[in-house]
Amino acid sequence: MNTSGEARDARHRQRKDEIIAAGRRCFRQHGFHGASMAQLAAEARLSVGQIYRYFTSKNAIIEEMVKRIIDARLVHMEETAAVSLPKMLAWRHALNEDDEALMMEVAAEATRNPIVAAMMIEADNRMFTHACLNVKRDHPQFSDEHIRACVEILAVLTEGTSWRRLTPQKASAERLYSLYQQFNDLLFKTEEK
């Protein structure tokens, strides 16, 4: 049986989802820095005051958006543990093109907004910690220091690939795959003391 409180909570979640969806569209069009709350309200078909009932600021909307993107990435990491990272890198696959673009917007905003910079650090910490746990699970013989080094290298490769998607690829995906596979094999061979 659905109580009035549960129905109210469901409406609240739905309205927040609608605001986030409108924010994603607005931020993609105008950027985080350039988008005003009035533009976001118009996109959401709400008044600015109504948005403030759900989010205290534009930064709060960005924070929720980043949290959702990272949540989706963490789920994807668990569901696709067997997927080949070299293949993803070589063919420049993106989990979600829109999320990739929004995270680039977040990175740009982080250069001028310390609140958003803190969000980036938190998001990175969540992803990094999760990735370290996955590597530890798959390679329990590796030291924590070695695992952190491997994850840092993988982060540079995946994040760099996100940026490289903005330009034409300069080498064949097949050749890159071979090199990424060799690099991956080297990275995860038995740790030398």
Side-chain angles (χ1 to χ4, degrees), residues 23-43:
R24 289 175 65 96
R25 291 188 302 272
C26 191
F27 295 145
R28 285 282 283 127
Q29 182 176 3
H30 304 287
F32 288 127
H33 192 68
S36 69
M37 286 300 281
Q39 289 169 318
L40 192 140
E43 183 70 33

Side-chain angles (χ1 to χ4, degrees), residues 148 175 193:
R148 285 190 303 275
R175 181 64 183 140
K193 300 285 182 188

